[in-house]
Structures are given as C-alpha cells and as structure tokens.
C-alpha cells in the first residue's frame, strides 16, 4: 500500500499497480483485491469485478462484499454475485 497512498515513499499509482499485479500473479489475495480497487477508481468496473471474483474465490470476504455492492448498483451480474458466494 505504500506506493498507492504515499506511505514513507513518494506516491506512485503505476508502481503500486505493478507491485499488486506481481503479488496477485503469485497468489497473494490482498494484491488481487487491491487491483480491483484501483480498477474501480480508474472507472473500469468490469475489470474491478473480475479481480474481486478471483480474490473472493481465494477466500476474500471483503471482495464478496465489493461484488455485492457492484451488483446492487448494476456493475456486476447476478451470476457474478452468485459465483462470489
């Protein structure tokens, strides 16, 4: 989270994304969840939901809640929400 928020280092969202992506590819649940968060901030709800679906399948209960919220506002399908459960 350091590069994303500038905690102890200069804020660098691109570098944060690259580190989260590397962590996610190695199976790190929080890295995958954070990719979803960044994609949602960038206005890419479809990509955000895909990242959260992966982290939800890995046991991330916060991702399930994110997908539920996306379903409630029309950015995730009923099937995606069911898949996250």
């Amino acid at each position: 989270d350091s590069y994303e928020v500038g905690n102890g280092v200069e804020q660098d969202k691109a570098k944060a994304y690259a580190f989260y992506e590397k962590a996610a590819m190695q199976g790190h649940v929080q890295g995958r969840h954070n990719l979803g968060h960044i994609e949602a901030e960038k206005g890419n709800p479809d990509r955000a939901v895909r990242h959260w679906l992966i982290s939800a399948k890995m046991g991330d209960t916060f991702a399930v809640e994110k997908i539920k919220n996306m379903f409630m506002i029309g950015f995730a399908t009923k099937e995606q929400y069911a898949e996250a459960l």
Side-chain angles (χ1 to χ4, degrees):
D1 294 343
S2 295
Y3 284 108
E4 185 178 3
V5 296
N7 185 15
V9 295
E10 187 175 333
Q11 186 179 29
D12 187 335
K13 297 259 184 182
K15 194 175 273 191
Y17 193 92
F19 278 118
Y20 291 150
E21 193 170 46
K22 187 175 183 174
M25 296 304 286
Q26 294 177 4
H28 191 268
V29 178
Q30 189 62 44
R32 180 66 67 179
H33 182 98
N34 290 345
L35 287 174
H37 177 73
I38 290 174
E39 289 295 350
E41 280 185 340
K42 289 171 36 178
N44 299 322
D46 292 340
R47 291 182 68 139
V49 168
R50 279 187 266 148
H51 285 300
W52 288 328
L53 271 173
I54 294 168
S55 61
K57 289 178 185 177
M58 297 168 74
D60 182 3
T61 57
F62 293 113
V64 175
E65 192 62 30
K66 290 283 193 181
I67 293 169
K68 175 185 170 187
N69 293 338
M70 295 297 266
F71 170 67
M72 299 295 276
I73 60 174
F75 287 118
T77 66
K78 186 176 185 178
E79 291 78 19
Q80 287 172 317
Y81 180 43
E83 187 179 341
L85 297 174

